[in-house]
Amino acid sequence: NGPGRRVAVNMNSDLTCWLAEHLDKNDLLLTPEYSMNEVTMSGVMLYCGWPYYAWSAGYDTNYRAAQAVTIYTSDSETLKSTVKQEKITYILFEEGSEFEQQVCQEETIAATYEKVYETQDGRIRIYKTN
């Protein structure tokens, strides 16, 4: 954490404030595999955060990664059934996202669920699944 190696996260961004105001302890947010940013630092429950920590504790991170790929790349019926099975309440889509080296597709998510948040620059969009 010396000079030139610090990581700074804006904990007062519009996105962080929206997450704090709209998600509670029962919500589960699907995101790309983030290491550290304002979403992971916001304190919301992530379906798939950066897998190293959970993997090193013995959790089956490959299962959740496969489910996330299914959600981000499948048809509407598979999307809906997987989201319901995994109890995901919000899906975050970020421009240019990949999950397990597969390009995340927004079209099916947008046609299936209501968009409830978009950053001012349009880079991040969040969809509510229930």
Side-chain angles (χ1 to χ4, degrees):
N1 283 336
R5 296 183 187 182
R6 284 189 194 118
V7 174
V9 176
N10 181 2
M11 295 306 298
N12 294 314
S13 72
D14 289 338
L15 174 56
T16 306
C17 292
W18 189 89
L19 290 168
E21 291 171 10
H22 292 88
L23 276 70
D24 65 29
K25 65 179 179 143
N26 297 316
D27 286 311
L28 187 58
L29 177 66
L30 174 63
T31 67
E33 295 173 302
Y34 290 131
S35 176
M36 189 183 313
N37 68 10
E38 61 193 313
V39 176
T40 59
M41 300 299 285
S42 71
V44 300
M45 291 288 289
L46 301 179
Y47 180 79
C48 269
W50 185 244
Y52 176 77
Y53 310 107
W55 170 83
S56 66
Y59 291 96
D60 184 1
T61 56
N62 290 328
Y63 171 80
R64 284 202 172 188
Q67 296 298 87
V69 168
T70 298
I71 290 167
Y72 279 122
T73 63
S74 67
D75 61 86
S76 182
E77 289 307 310
T78 304
L79 167 66
K80 287 191 284 190
S81 66
T82 306
V83 162
K84 183 177 181 179
Q85 172 187 312
E86 299 303 313
K87 299 176 175 64
I88 294 167
T89 55
Y90 291 89
I91 299 172
L92 183 144
F93 181 86
E94 186 170 354
E95 264 330 297
S97 296
E98 289 187 356
F99 207 107
E100 298 289 304
Q101 292 81 44
Q102 296 203 35
V103 175
C104 298
Q105 302 294 322
E106 183 179 21
E107 296 79 24
T108 305
I109 296 167
T112 306
Y113 299 115
E114 176 189 7
K115 180 171 55 174
V116 292
Y117 178 81
E118 184 170 354
T119 56
Q120 287 183 346
D121 61 6
R123 181 179 56 90
I124 293 176
R125 294 170 289 283
I126 298 175
Y127 296 88
K128 186 169 184 167
T129 67
N130 57 10

